[in-house]
Amino acid sequence: MGRRGEPYYVEAAPPVDVNKNTEWFMYPGVWTTYILLLFFVWLLVLSVSGCSPGAAWTVVNLAHFAITYHFFHWKKGTPFAADDQGIYSRLTWWEQIDNGQQLTRNRKFLTVVPVVLYLIASHLTDYKQPMFFLNTIAVFVLVVAKLPNMHKVRIFGINADI
Amino acid sequence: MVRLPYTTALTTLFSYGLLFAFGQLRDFFRKFVDWFKAKNVKGYAPICLGLEDFYVRRLYLRIQDCFGRPIASAPDSWFDVVERTSNDNNKTLQCTSNTTRCLNLGSYNYLGFAAADEYCTPRVIESLKKYSASTCSVRVDGGTTKLHAELEELAARFVGKPAAILFGMGYVTNSAIIPCLIGKGGLIISDSLNHNSIVNGARGSGATVRVFQHNSPAHLEEVLREQIAGGQPRTHRPWKKIIVIVEGIYSMEGELCKLPEIIAVCKKYKAYTYLDEAHSIGAVGQSGRGVCELLGVDPADVDIMMGTFTKSFGSCGGYIAASKEIIQHLKQSCPAHLYATSMSPPAVQQVISAIKVILGEDGSNRGAQKLARIRENSNFFRSELKKMGFEVLGDNDSPVMPIMLYNPAKIPAFSRECLRQKVAVVTVAFPATPLLLARARICISASHTREDLMKALDVISRVGDLVGIKYFPAEPPKIAEADAEITS
């Protein structure tokens, strides 16, 4: 990147976000890291198991579903005893980012990623069962969880507070 | 504003992701292993919810030996660091009886008063014998000695304000004063990188707190306009008062505050200003009077000036300097004055002597020499580090210079390797700094000699090469003959 071997520099302005749990997401390079990570995990799955590319994308999609559901929509609070006196202890990470504002660029990006993964996985497996069914469930749950109407909603009291 | 190579940002995010993933994996297995262990406490709630102490257990404890190192001598330019060992992979550390003599680049010893001083120490010992180590009383009962009155008057004169009040602890000065100045119905606008004591005080006051982008008078004006137009939340009544809180030198960035512009904005919108000079008083300015002197701001324009005695004066405690009416109000209402034990008399004497040396009232020019030395040392060190290709933050004349590390693995690497080469540096990671911007913070002192600085530069350069933190291209050393050849 950059001309003739010079590194490409980015500027990192300290964000005004006071929630230390989410302010790391405002820095340059986060989106690229996320996408690169998914791509490398796909390569890893492909090289370790030797299955078809479509099956590998399905594995990546389902693992992505499990991990992002757990960390974005299940775990509440912050992973460090911050001085915020627990104001975020009832909010999941998804509800905390961008200070609770809906439909920001970050949120739109994070909503698009599972959909793109779903399209790639379904296309490369030729929409065959049972992969299609599992992929559809994954994308459905993730996209519904990220809708603005689901802010602070706990269906049937699942994952409601202690 | 920091500039970093794009690949560094990607690798730093990836490293933190990896550390996080491993931490979660270990927690997961720990849950299974502990499933069968009998729990002794029945019916009691757990002290921490599972997620809260994750960072401390899985990230901080792994490199615990880089933080909180005990020392065994006065924090002069060279000091003794106690060696520690661990049998369980850094979960617990035991101190040994060995010490290493290291170059001190971490203490806030800006003017060199941390070790014994030829003017201050005899007077401190004399006051210890006369007034004893503690007044054993609060200021309003029997805890105000002649020394306290003298220091209050001297501090006010030094800073350029009509009156001052003292407190025994620097942190408490902020966290106990701000609630006395403003309450519910007021607005506090504080810089986004303000110290924890200010954040604590602001939270404790009950006022609404808004944050403006670090050192940006334009954003401050935007926030002020928005808030004044909107008024209090829900009722939209006008704010009872607005206080803007900034710091002189930000200790994690080494940057000076843009004071003239911020004061101009505050005056335009009739907001009060509170300046926290913990790191800048005594260390910057022609005669050591802080950022106001350095940036040419009249102290009468800043409503409340706060400072601490821990950094440049080699003592403990803090002060607030303001108009006589504000100080009178604080003396009658601040709990740190009414209920807390007064400052220890030898500590007060140390500050009095240190201020006298700085002002030249001890009959020598040691104060002016110290101020000149710290300015020279800071500028020399900073320019040399920048020439080597490190990313160094902070403005010229500021004695605090953070060297950016970014990657979490470079924090222990830099810290441990420097210690092995007998240079003690302080590394700062999350949550004191933003997650991606970990740094090693160097504090230059007037007691560092040119040889000390050269040794430090040599060690840091070598360790920097090993660890890989020279993010910018280094300037090649100028060769005088080559220049002469080209021009002839």
Side-chain angles (χ1 to χ4, degrees):
Chain A
M1 305 194 221
R3 340 154 245 205
R4 288 206 292 126
E6 269 177 32
Y8 171 61
Y9 289 99
V10 287
E11 295 213 332
V16 189
D17 191 356
V18 286
N19 182 0
K20 296 215 149 91
N21 193 21
T22 58
E23 52 105 37
W24 62 271
F25 209 72
M26 307 291 176
Y27 280 96
V30 179
W31 290 12
T32 313
T33 310
Y34 189 21
I35 296 174
L36 283 179
L37 204 63
L38 289 172
F39 182 68
F40 282 124
V41 171
W42 174 71
L43 278 180
L44 196 68
V45 169
L46 204 53
S47 45
V48 161
S49 64
C51 55
S52 71
W57 276 118
T58 307
V59 169
V60 169
N61 192 16
L62 295 176
H64 173 256
F65 165 53
I67 295 178
T68 52
Y69 187 77
H70 180 78
F71 287 112
F72 291 179
H73 302 284
W74 188 266
K75 278 273 177 205
K76 293 190 285 202
T78 55
F80 32 83
D83 295 324
D84 57 18
Q85 299 172 320
I87 32 180
Y88 303 113
S89 63
R90 290 167 177 237
L91 298 179
T92 61
W93 189 84
W94 180 257
E95 287 157 4
Q96 288 173 34
I97 56 173
D98 290 329
N99 255 322
Q101 255 181 312
Q102 299 299 327
L103 299 176
T104 60
R105 289 185 71 212
N106 279 331
R107 285 180 185 242
K108 287 182 191 160
F109 170 73
L110 288 174
T111 315
V112 162
V113 168
V115 175
V116 169
L117 274 179
Y118 170 68
L119 291 172
I120 298 178
S122 321
H123 175 76
L124 290 177
T125 57
D126 291 328
Y127 304 92
K128 280 206 276 274
Q129 302 291 357
M131 278 92 63
F132 184 60
F133 179 65
L134 295 170
N135 280 330
T136 313
I137 296 217
V139 80
F140 182 72
V141 171
L142 280 181
V143 171
V144 163
K146 295 181 164 67
L147 290 176
N149 313 60
M150 295 296 281
H151 185 69
K152 291 205 206 165
V153 169
R154 308 267 180 259
I155 314 177
F156 299 134
I158 302 176
N159 203 19
D161 309 306
I162 313 106
Chain B
M1 196 73 71
V2 289
R3 295 180 65 220
L4 64 158
Y6 195 51
T7 42
T8 309
L10 296 180
T11 51
T12 311
L13 285 163
F14 178 71
S15 309
Y16 271 108
L18 195 67
L19 284 169
F20 187 75
F22 267 96
Q24 293 288 340
L25 209 63
R26 291 177 93 148
D27 273 353
F28 181 67
F29 282 113
R30 173 64 50 186
K31 235 198 265 194
F32 275 123
V33 167
D34 280 349
W35 199 270
F36 304 105
K37 257 202 228 155
K39 289 204 193 70
N40 298 333
V41 280
K42 287 211 168 91
Y44 281 88
I47 292 181
C48 310
L49 301 174
L51 190 55
E52 259 176 25
D53 56 350
F54 174 80
Y55 176 79
V56 171
R57 274 181 300 114
R58 295 302 177 195
L59 271 80
Y60 178 83
L61 286 184
R62 291 172 76 128
I63 52 170
Q64 212 197 135
D65 63 310
C66 300
F67 306 110
R69 295 187 179 129
I71 63 175
S73 72
D76 199 10
S77 52
W78 285 82
F79 64 165
D80 297 321
V81 178
V82 175
E83 289 167 17
R84 296 187 287 180
T85 53
S86 173
N87 300 330
D88 49 5
N89 218 1
N90 269 354
K91 220 160 133 190
T92 55
L93 293 165
Q94 284 82 38
C95 293
T96 63
S97 50
N98 299 332
T99 59
T100 337
R101 189 115 189 118
C102 299
L103 179 62
N104 184 0
L105 290 179
S107 296
Y108 303 136
N109 181 17
Y110 298 138
L111 293 180
F113 283 115
D117 186 77
E118 60 190 32
Y119 181 81
C120 301
T121 310
R123 285 170 177 75
V124 169
I125 296 179
E126 202 186 297
S127 75
L128 178 64
K129 290 189 189 148
K130 183 170 177 193
Y131 292 101
S132 97
S134 167
T135 57
C136 300
S137 176
V138 296
R139 283 292 299 273
V140 290
D141 282 342
T144 304
T145 63
K146 214 171 64 165
L147 294 174
H148 292 89
E150 190 187 338
L151 179 55
E152 282 186 349
E153 186 260 330
L154 188 59
R157 183 158 63 89
F158 183 65
V159 162
K161 281 291 208 185
I165 177 176
L166 304 177
F167 296 99
M169 197 173 136
Y171 188 99
V172 155
T173 310
N174 273 329
S175 58
I177 281 297
I178 299 178
C180 291
L181 294 172
I182 192 170
K184 199 153 176 289
L187 173 67
I188 295 178
I189 307 184
S190 93
D191 191 290
S192 70
L193 295 179
N194 268 343
H195 190 251
N196 190 267
S197 54
I198 298 175
V199 174
N200 225 323
R203 245 183 232 144
S205 67
T208 310
V209 183
R210 288 281 173 270
V211 159
F212 73 94
Q213 222 167 48
H214 174 61
N215 234 358
S216 157
H219 193 242
L220 170 63
E221 179 156 6
E222 207 181 291
V223 172
L224 268 168
R225 288 177 73 96
E226 191 191 321
Q227 291 303 318
I228 293 178
Q232 297 184 31
R234 279 191 298 274
T235 57
H236 295 293
R237 290 204 203 125
W239 295 104
K240 292 214 183 112
K241 67 177 92 140
I242 303 183
I243 301 186
V244 174
I245 308 184
V246 289
E247 284 188 34
I249 291 186
Y250 290 92
S251 57
M252 286 301 156
E253 273 70 34
E255 258 179 7
L256 293 166
C257 158
K258 290 196 181 130
L259 199 56
E261 294 90 343
I262 290 182
I263 301 279
V265 169
C266 291
K267 281 190 154 183
K268 188 167 158 196
Y269 294 95
K270 308 240 174 34
Y272 293 112
T273 39
Y274 182 110
L275 178 65
D276 175 339
E277 288 211 84
H279 283 268
S280 50
I281 191 73
V284 293
Q286 192 66 26
S287 63
R289 287 185 152 93
V291 280
C292 285
E293 191 181 6
L294 186 68
L295 299 174
V297 172
D298 186 6
D301 285 340
V302 181
D303 296 296
I304 297 161
M305 298 176 71
M306 175 266 180
T308 57
F309 299 127
T310 21
K311 282 96 186 174
S312 308
F313 305 106
S315 181
C316 65
Y319 69 88
I320 298 268
S323 68
K324 283 203 162 59
E325 293 83 18
I326 298 182
I327 299 295
Q328 187 71 2
H329 164 74
L330 288 177
K331 282 194 171 163
Q332 287 162 352
S333 66
C334 181
H337 188 260
L338 299 172
Y339 307 116
T341 313
S342 63
M343 220 165 129
S344 165
V348 179
Q349 179 61 48
Q350 163 73 22
V351 185
I352 295 177
S353 312
I355 295 184
K356 290 220 169 101
V357 171
I358 296 175
L359 286 176
E361 284 170 17
D362 63 328
S364 72
N365 68 341
R366 280 174 59 228
Q369 276 177 4
K370 279 180 193 275
L371 287 164
R373 241 198 336 261
I374 188 175
R375 208 176 319 131
E376 270 169 39
N377 286 353
S378 320
N379 290 337
F380 170 69
F381 207 75
R382 181 176 268 112
S383 61
E384 286 297 313
L385 283 177
K386 282 196 170 148
K387 274 194 227 161
M388 287 184 206
F390 289 104
E391 174 153 13
V392 183
L393 305 182
D395 297 326
N396 266 333
D397 281 349
S398 151
V400 178
M401 44 199 91
I403 303 179
M404 296 308 293
L405 299 170
Y406 301 116
N407 228 301
K410 299 189 181 181
I411 303 169
F414 189 80
S415 178
R416 288 171 190 160
E417 190 55 41
C418 277
L419 189 63
R420 228 169 275 153
Q421 311 212 8
K422 310 277 196 298
V423 169
V425 292
V426 166
T427 44
V428 203
F430 190 75
T433 61
L435 187 69
L436 301 179
L437 307 178
R439 60 202 72 177
R441 183 181 64 178
I442 312 262
C443 294
I444 296 292
S445 154
S447 59
H448 284 136
T449 61
R450 199 36 89 98
E451 292 81 45
D452 294 335
L453 295 183
M454 297 305 288
K455 172 182 162 80
L457 283 168
D458 182 48
V459 167
I460 291 178
S461 179
R462 266 183 288 130
V463 176
D465 278 325
L466 277 174
V467 169
I469 48 176
K470 293 190 175 170
Y471 294 113
F472 289 117
E475 264 179 42
K478 289 203 172 74
I479 308 172
E481 306 93 31
D483 278 338
E485 263 186 55
I486 294 170
T487 52
S488 66

